[in-house]
Amino acid sequence: MHPILTIAIKAARRAGNIIQRASLNMESVRVENKKHNDFVSDVDRAAEAAIIDVIMEAYPKHAILAEESGAKGIGESEYEWIIDPLDGTTNFLHGHPQYCISIAMAHRGQIQQAVVYDPNRNELYSASRGVGSFMNDRRIRVSKRINMNECLISTGFPVVDQSMLDTHLAILKDVLGKTAGARREGSAALDLCNVAIGRVDGFFEFNLKPWDIAAGSLIVQEAGGIVTDMHGEQTWLESGDIVAAPPKVLGQLLPIIGKHVK
């Protein structure tokens, strides 16, 4: 295992312990609204601090991009960690067990190492570029389904930035008419991992942040899937508009989406 991946796993598990301890006493969790439908709790901040402490102890000169504390050292290092300490905060605050820790490390702008940890199921997804994707040390692959009418597609509703809501609903209507169904779980990082392990056959969402998708995207790619933007291009990390699926499903999903986006 790559030493950077080892540190990422250590950081993810430490954050997971903080989050799960807090889940046993939700009445004591303090919550703030960053904006409409965008929440942050003291648990997010504590988990993020723990992750950064582990990383900085091992790699003090690396740059950090984290959801709650922002950017540190960007442009000063070839190495950048992209961190979401609690992807699915709204789920966590409601006791809905669909949330995770997402940690990625990019070298010269390319994601090289990735960890997504689901503390409720104790499922730890990891990937190193060129090595493959794993869940708890078991190699994982995207699904082998080809026919769209057999496929289950995951998505996320645009509840914070609703500028694409009408477009999203139009796409979803088309998807529902051509597939076995759609799911909205509330954690983009876990949605991507579900593509990687074959629990769903594709995923699309608009206006996500780098920390939502950096780790999960590499896990999909190393599991044999393809990640693009809505036009099949590679701008997804910058734009936040993302589609992920096995190759033959992606080829059918992109035209469905493409009818509705400019």
Side-chain angles (χ1 to χ4, degrees), residues 147-182:
N147 299 323
M148 284 296 285
N149 62 0
E150 299 175 351
C151 289
L152 190 63
I153 305 300
S154 182
T155 189
F157 299 145
V159 294
V160 178
D161 179 352
Q162 298 188 4
S163 60
M164 297 298 292
L165 181 57
D166 290 342
T167 299
H168 182 277
L169 292 175
I171 295 169
L172 185 58
K173 182 179 179 180
D174 252 3
V175 166
L176 288 170
K178 294 178 172 66
T179 66

mmCIF file of all heavy atoms in Angstrom, residues 147-182:
data_model
loop_
_atom_site.group_PDB
_atom_site.id
_atom_site.type_symbol
_atom_site.label_atom_id
_atom_site.label_comp_id
_atom_site.label_asym_id
_atom_site.label_seq_id
_atom_site.Cartn_x
_atom_site.Cartn_y
_atom_site.Cartn_z
ATOM 1 N N ASN A 147 -27.812 -3.218 -20.708
ATOM 2 C CA ASN A 147 -29.121 -2.706 -21.121
ATOM 3 C C ASN A 147 -29.622 -1.657 -20.129
ATOM 4 O O ASN A 147 -29.720 -1.932 -18.931
ATOM 5 C CB ASN A 147 -30.134 -3.847 -21.214
ATOM 6 C CG ASN A 147 -29.732 -4.885 -22.246
ATOM 7 O OD1 ASN A 147 -29.192 -4.542 -23.301
ATOM 8 N ND2 ASN A 147 -29.972 -6.149 -21.941
ATOM 9 N N MET A 148 -29.955 -0.480 -20.629
ATOM 10 C CA MET A 148 -30.378 0.606 -19.757
ATOM 11 C C MET A 148 -31.636 0.267 -18.965
ATOM 12 O O MET A 148 -31.802 0.712 -17.837
ATOM 13 C CB MET A 148 -30.615 1.885 -20.566
ATOM 14 C CG MET A 148 -29.335 2.590 -20.980
ATOM 15 S SD MET A 148 -28.378 3.210 -19.568
ATOM 16 C CE MET A 148 -29.346 4.644 -19.096
ATOM 17 N N ASN A 149 -32.514 -0.544 -19.540
ATOM 18 C CA ASN A 149 -33.755 -0.863 -18.822
ATOM 19 C C ASN A 149 -33.512 -1.758 -17.610
ATOM 20 O O ASN A 149 -34.422 -1.995 -16.821
ATOM 21 C CB ASN A 149 -34.795 -1.491 -19.762
ATOM 22 C CG ASN A 149 -34.338 -2.809 -20.366
ATOM 23 O OD1 ASN A 149 -33.242 -3.282 -20.092
ATOM 24 N ND2 ASN A 149 -35.181 -3.397 -21.201
ATOM 25 N N GLU A 150 -32.277 -2.243 -17.442
ATOM 26 C CA GLU A 150 -31.905 -3.028 -16.274
ATOM 27 C C GLU A 150 -31.079 -2.219 -15.273
ATOM 28 O O GLU A 150 -30.780 -2.707 -14.177
ATOM 29 C CB GLU A 150 -31.098 -4.259 -16.700
ATOM 30 C CG GLU A 150 -31.846 -5.216 -17.617
ATOM 31 C CD GLU A 150 -30.963 -6.340 -18.105
ATOM 32 O OE1 GLU A 150 -29.736 -6.274 -17.876
ATOM 33 O OE2 GLU A 150 -31.488 -7.290 -18.711
ATOM 34 N N CYS A 151 -30.741 -0.993 -15.628
ATOM 35 C CA CYS A 151 -29.784 -0.209 -14.840
ATOM 36 C C CYS A 151 -30.465 0.643 -13.778
ATOM 37 O O CYS A 151 -31.552 1.184 -13.997
ATOM 38 C CB CYS A 151 -28.960 0.700 -15.759
ATOM 39 S SG CYS A 151 -27.780 -0.209 -16.784
ATOM 40 N N LEU A 152 -29.784 0.773 -12.646
ATOM 41 C CA LEU A 152 -30.199 1.636 -11.551
ATOM 42 C C LEU A 152 -29.253 2.837 -11.520
ATOM 43 O O LEU A 152 -28.033 2.666 -11.464
ATOM 44 C CB LEU A 152 -30.128 0.873 -10.231
ATOM 45 C CG LEU A 152 -30.735 1.512 -8.988
ATOM 46 C CD1 LEU A 152 -32.240 1.699 -9.160
ATOM 47 C CD2 LEU A 152 -30.445 0.638 -7.767
ATOM 48 N N ILE A 153 -29.815 4.034 -11.586
ATOM 49 C CA ILE A 153 -29.021 5.255 -11.699
ATOM 50 C C ILE A 153 -29.168 6.082 -10.429
ATOM 51 O O ILE A 153 -30.272 6.289 -9.928
ATOM 52 C CB ILE A 153 -29.452 6.097 -12.923
ATOM 53 C CG1 ILE A 153 -29.385 5.255 -14.201
ATOM 54 C CG2 ILE A 153 -28.583 7.341 -13.046
ATOM 55 C CD1 ILE A 153 -28.011 4.710 -14.538
ATOM 56 N N SER A 154 -28.048 6.570 -9.929
ATOM 57 C CA SER A 154 -28.038 7.400 -8.728
ATOM 58 C C SER A 154 -27.873 8.869 -9.107
ATOM 59 O O SER A 154 -27.264 9.195 -10.131
ATOM 60 C CB SER A 154 -26.885 6.957 -7.824
ATOM 61 O OG SER A 154 -26.870 7.696 -6.636
ATOM 62 N N THR A 155 -28.415 9.738 -8.279
ATOM 63 C CA THR A 155 -28.294 11.166 -8.534
ATOM 64 C C THR A 155 -28.377 11.926 -7.214
ATOM 65 O O THR A 155 -28.536 11.330 -6.149
ATOM 66 C CB THR A 155 -29.391 11.649 -9.508
ATOM 67 O OG1 THR A 155 -29.123 13.000 -9.907
ATOM 68 C CG2 THR A 155 -30.775 11.578 -8.863
ATOM 69 N N GLY A 156 -28.245 13.230 -7.297
ATOM 70 C CA GLY A 156 -28.401 14.088 -6.131
ATOM 71 C C GLY A 156 -29.193 15.318 -6.514
ATOM 72 O O GLY A 156 -28.898 15.961 -7.526
ATOM 73 N N PHE A 157 -30.208 15.645 -5.752
ATOM 74 C CA PHE A 157 -31.023 16.816 -6.070
ATOM 75 C C PHE A 157 -30.262 18.105 -5.752
ATOM 76 O O PHE A 157 -29.576 18.190 -4.737
ATOM 77 C CB PHE A 157 -32.331 16.800 -5.281
ATOM 78 C CG PHE A 157 -33.202 15.621 -5.571
ATOM 79 C CD1 PHE A 157 -33.976 15.053 -4.565
ATOM 80 C CD2 PHE A 157 -33.264 15.075 -6.836
ATOM 81 C CE1 PHE A 157 -34.798 13.967 -4.823
ATOM 82 C CE2 PHE A 157 -34.075 13.984 -7.108
ATOM 83 C CZ PHE A 157 -34.842 13.434 -6.096
ATOM 84 N N PRO A 158 -30.405 19.122 -6.583
ATOM 85 C CA PRO A 158 -29.720 20.404 -6.347
ATOM 86 C C PRO A 158 -30.465 21.241 -5.311
ATOM 87 O O PRO A 158 -31.249 22.121 -5.641
ATOM 88 C CB PRO A 158 -29.741 21.068 -7.733
ATOM 89 C CG PRO A 158 -30.937 20.488 -8.415
ATOM 90 C CD PRO A 158 -31.101 19.094 -7.891
ATOM 91 N N VAL A 159 -30.211 20.972 -4.035
ATOM 92 C CA VAL A 159 -30.969 21.628 -2.971
ATOM 93 C C VAL A 159 -30.324 22.924 -2.481
ATOM 94 O O VAL A 159 -30.997 23.763 -1.885
ATOM 95 C CB VAL A 159 -31.174 20.678 -1.773
ATOM 96 C CG1 VAL A 159 -32.055 19.505 -2.175
ATOM 97 C CG2 VAL A 159 -29.840 20.181 -1.221
ATOM 98 N N VAL A 160 -29.020 23.099 -2.705
ATOM 99 C CA VAL A 160 -28.348 24.339 -2.290
ATOM 100 C C VAL A 160 -28.396 25.354 -3.427
ATOM 101 O O VAL A 160 -29.035 26.396 -3.323
ATOM 102 C CB VAL A 160 -26.894 24.056 -1.855
ATOM 103 C CG1 VAL A 160 -26.197 25.359 -1.466
ATOM 104 C CG2 VAL A 160 -26.879 23.083 -0.669
ATOM 105 N N ASP A 161 -27.720 25.046 -4.528
ATOM 106 C CA ASP A 161 -27.800 25.866 -5.739
ATOM 107 C C ASP A 161 -28.877 25.243 -6.627
ATOM 108 O O ASP A 161 -28.670 24.190 -7.222
ATOM 109 C CB ASP A 161 -26.444 25.885 -6.444
ATOM 110 C CG ASP A 161 -26.460 26.695 -7.732
ATOM 111 O OD1 ASP A 161 -27.548 27.133 -8.170
ATOM 112 O OD2 ASP A 161 -25.376 26.890 -8.318
ATOM 113 N N GLN A 162 -30.023 25.902 -6.707
ATOM 114 C CA GLN A 162 -31.154 25.332 -7.434
ATOM 115 C C GLN A 162 -31.285 25.870 -8.862
ATOM 116 O O GLN A 162 -32.328 25.711 -9.500
ATOM 117 C CB GLN A 162 -32.438 25.571 -6.650
ATOM 118 C CG GLN A 162 -32.430 24.907 -5.282
ATOM 119 C CD GLN A 162 -33.754 24.971 -4.556
ATOM 120 O OE1 GLN A 162 -34.744 25.461 -5.083
ATOM 121 N NE2 GLN A 162 -33.790 24.450 -3.339
ATOM 122 N N SER A 163 -30.227 26.460 -9.380
ATOM 123 C CA SER A 163 -30.278 27.043 -10.723
ATOM 124 C C SER A 163 -30.498 25.985 -11.800
ATOM 125 O O SER A 163 -31.019 26.296 -12.872
ATOM 126 C CB SER A 163 -28.986 27.815 -11.013
ATOM 127 O OG SER A 163 -27.856 26.952 -10.946
ATOM 128 N N MET A 164 -30.114 24.739 -11.532
ATOM 129 C CA MET A 164 -30.271 23.667 -12.517
ATOM 130 C C MET A 164 -31.425 22.727 -12.157
ATOM 131 O O MET A 164 -31.513 21.633 -12.720
ATOM 132 C CB MET A 164 -28.968 22.864 -12.621
ATOM 133 C CG MET A 164 -27.782 23.655 -13.119
ATOM 134 S SD MET A 164 -28.028 24.285 -14.811
ATOM 135 C CE MET A 164 -28.005 22.765 -15.741
ATOM 136 N N LEU A 165 -32.294 23.150 -11.259
ATOM 137 C CA LEU A 165 -33.336 22.246 -10.771
ATOM 138 C C LEU A 165 -34.258 21.770 -11.891
ATOM 139 O O LEU A 165 -34.538 20.574 -12.015
ATOM 140 C CB LEU A 165 -34.147 22.925 -9.669
ATOM 141 C CG LEU A 165 -35.269 22.084 -9.046
ATOM 142 C CD1 LEU A 165 -34.726 20.783 -8.466
ATOM 143 C CD2 LEU A 165 -36.000 22.882 -7.972
ATOM 144 N N ASP A 166 -34.747 22.683 -12.718
ATOM 145 C CA ASP A 166 -35.669 22.289 -13.794
ATOM 146 C C ASP A 166 -34.979 21.350 -14.782
ATOM 147 O O ASP A 166 -35.578 20.359 -15.238
ATOM 148 C CB ASP A 166 -36.207 23.519 -14.519
ATOM 149 C CG ASP A 166 -37.171 24.330 -13.661
ATOM 150 O OD1 ASP A 166 -37.685 23.785 -12.660
ATOM 151 O OD2 ASP A 166 -37.399 25.516 -13.981
ATOM 152 N N THR A 167 -33.720 21.654 -15.113
ATOM 153 C CA THR A 167 -32.963 20.797 -16.020
ATOM 154 C C THR A 167 -32.774 19.417 -15.400
ATOM 155 O O THR A 167 -32.941 18.388 -16.067
ATOM 156 C CB THR A 167 -31.590 21.417 -16.333
ATOM 157 O OG1 THR A 167 -31.787 22.672 -16.966
ATOM 158 C CG2 THR A 167 -30.762 20.519 -17.237
ATOM 159 N N HIS A 168 -32.428 19.406 -14.140
ATOM 160 C CA HIS A 168 -32.213 18.133 -13.452
ATOM 161 C C HIS A 168 -33.480 17.285 -13.442
ATOM 162 O O HIS A 168 -33.435 16.069 -13.704
ATOM 163 C CB HIS A 168 -31.749 18.394 -12.016
ATOM 164 C CG HIS A 168 -31.446 17.143 -11.240
ATOM 165 N ND1 HIS A 168 -32.427 16.415 -10.610
ATOM 166 C CD2 HIS A 168 -30.280 16.486 -11.017
ATOM 167 C CE1 HIS A 168 -31.878 15.368 -10.030
ATOM 168 N NE2 HIS A 168 -30.582 15.392 -10.246
ATOM 169 N N LEU A 169 -34.613 17.890 -13.154
ATOM 170 C CA LEU A 169 -35.863 17.142 -13.108
ATOM 171 C C LEU A 169 -36.257 16.609 -14.485
ATOM 172 O O LEU A 169 -36.812 15.506 -14.598
ATOM 173 C CB LEU A 169 -36.976 18.018 -12.536
ATOM 174 C CG LEU A 169 -36.824 18.386 -11.053
ATOM 175 C CD1 LEU A 169 -37.921 19.347 -10.619
ATOM 176 C CD2 LEU A 169 -36.820 17.136 -10.174
ATOM 177 N N ALA A 170 -35.953 17.373 -15.523
ATOM 178 C CA ALA A 170 -36.230 16.909 -16.883
ATOM 179 C C ALA A 170 -35.368 15.698 -17.225
ATOM 180 O O ALA A 170 -35.845 14.723 -17.829
ATOM 181 C CB ALA A 170 -35.992 18.033 -17.880
ATOM 182 N N ILE A 171 -34.100 15.747 -16.854
ATOM 183 C CA ILE A 171 -33.210 14.604 -17.070
ATOM 184 C C ILE A 171 -33.705 13.399 -16.283
ATOM 185 O O ILE A 171 -33.772 12.272 -16.811
ATOM 186 C CB ILE A 171 -31.765 14.950 -16.662
ATOM 187 C CG1 ILE A 171 -31.191 16.035 -17.564
ATOM 188 C CG2 ILE A 171 -30.873 13.698 -16.696
ATOM 189 C CD1 ILE A 171 -29.877 16.616 -17.073
ATOM 190 N N LEU A 172 -34.055 13.632 -15.015
ATOM 191 C CA LEU A 172 -34.507 12.532 -14.163
ATOM 192 C C LEU A 172 -35.754 11.870 -14.734
ATOM 193 O O LEU A 172 -35.888 10.634 -14.700
ATOM 194 C CB LEU A 172 -34.778 13.062 -12.759
ATOM 195 C CG LEU A 172 -35.143 12.024 -11.694
ATOM 196 C CD1 LEU A 172 -34.044 10.982 -11.542
ATOM 197 C CD2 LEU A 172 -35.417 12.713 -10.358
ATOM 198 N N LYS A 173 -36.658 12.667 -15.279
ATOM 199 C CA LYS A 173 -37.870 12.096 -15.899
ATOM 200 C C LYS A 173 -37.494 11.178 -17.056
ATOM 201 O O LYS A 173 -38.036 10.071 -17.189
ATOM 202 C CB LYS A 173 -38.784 13.218 -16.393
ATOM 203 C CG LYS A 173 -40.082 12.718 -17.002
ATOM 204 C CD LYS A 173 -40.967 13.880 -17.448
ATOM 205 C CE LYS A 173 -42.248 13.363 -18.082
ATOM 206 N NZ LYS A 173 -43.135 14.478 -18.525
ATOM 207 N N ASP A 174 -36.547 11.611 -17.879
ATOM 208 C CA ASP A 174 -36.074 10.788 -18.989
ATOM 209 C C ASP A 174 -35.400 9.510 -18.491
ATOM 210 O O ASP A 174 -35.617 8.422 -19.033
ATOM 211 C CB ASP A 174 -35.075 11.585 -19.841
ATOM 212 C CG ASP A 174 -35.664 11.981 -21.185
ATOM 213 O OD1 ASP A 174 -36.842 11.685 -21.427
ATOM 214 O OD2 ASP A 174 -34.932 12.582 -21.999
ATOM 215 N N VAL A 175 -34.556 9.665 -17.477
ATOM 216 C CA VAL A 175 -33.851 8.512 -16.917
ATOM 217 C C VAL A 175 -34.841 7.492 -16.363
ATOM 218 O O VAL A 175 -34.708 6.280 -16.596
ATOM 219 C CB VAL A 175 -32.860 8.971 -15.817
ATOM 220 C CG1 VAL A 175 -32.362 7.782 -14.995
ATOM 221 C CG2 VAL A 175 -31.676 9.704 -16.434
ATOM 222 N N LEU A 176 -35.846 7.956 -15.639
ATOM 223 C CA LEU A 176 -36.826 7.040 -15.058
ATOM 224 C C LEU A 176 -37.598 6.275 -16.129
ATOM 225 O O LEU A 176 -38.017 5.137 -15.913
ATOM 226 C CB LEU A 176 -37.793 7.823 -14.163
ATOM 227 C CG LEU A 176 -37.210 8.333 -12.847
ATOM 228 C CD1 LEU A 176 -38.176 9.294 -12.164
ATOM 229 C CD2 LEU A 176 -36.869 7.178 -11.917
ATOM 230 N N GLY A 177 -37.775 6.901 -17.295
ATOM 231 C CA GLY A 177 -38.497 6.246 -18.376
ATOM 232 C C GLY A 177 -37.682 5.215 -19.124
ATOM 233 O O GLY A 177 -38.246 4.403 -19.866
ATOM 234 N N LYS A 178 -36.376 5.209 -18.909
ATOM 235 C CA LYS A 178 -35.498 4.338 -19.700
ATOM 236 C C LYS A 178 -34.706 3.334 -18.864
ATOM 237 O O LYS A 178 -33.944 2.542 -19.409
ATOM 238 C CB LYS A 178 -34.524 5.186 -20.507
ATOM 239 C CG LYS A 178 -35.178 6.040 -21.580
ATOM 240 C CD LYS A 178 -34.144 6.881 -22.312
ATOM 241 C CE LYS A 178 -34.746 7.594 -23.530
ATOM 242 N NZ LYS A 178 -35.754 8.595 -23.122
ATOM 243 N N THR A 179 -34.868 3.366 -17.540
ATOM 244 C CA THR A 179 -34.046 2.521 -16.672
ATOM 245 C C THR A 179 -34.909 1.746 -15.673
ATOM 246 O O THR A 179 -36.136 1.861 -15.670
ATOM 247 C CB THR A 179 -33.049 3.385 -15.867
ATOM 248 O OG1 THR A 179 -33.777 4.227 -14.966
ATOM 249 C CG2 THR A 179 -32.197 4.244 -16.795
ATOM 250 N N ALA A 180 -34.232 0.987 -14.807
ATOM 251 C CA ALA A 180 -34.935 0.246 -13.756
ATOM 252 C C ALA A 180 -35.270 1.121 -12.569
ATOM 253 O O ALA A 180 -35.957 0.676 -11.641
ATOM 254 C CB ALA A 180 -34.088 -0.943 -13.306
ATOM 255 N N GLY A 181 -34.790 2.364 -12.573
ATOM 256 C CA GLY A 181 -35.113 3.272 -11.484
ATOM 257 C C GLY A 181 -33.968 4.197 -11.146
ATOM 258 O O GLY A 181 -32.884 4.135 -11.743
ATOM 259 N N ALA A 182 -34.212 5.083 -10.199
ATOM 260 C CA ALA A 182 -33.212 6.054 -9.758
ATOM 261 C C ALA A 182 -33.220 6.120 -8.239
ATOM 262 O O ALA A 182 -34.231 5.828 -7.593
ATOM 263 C CB ALA A 182 -33.480 7.429 -10.358
#
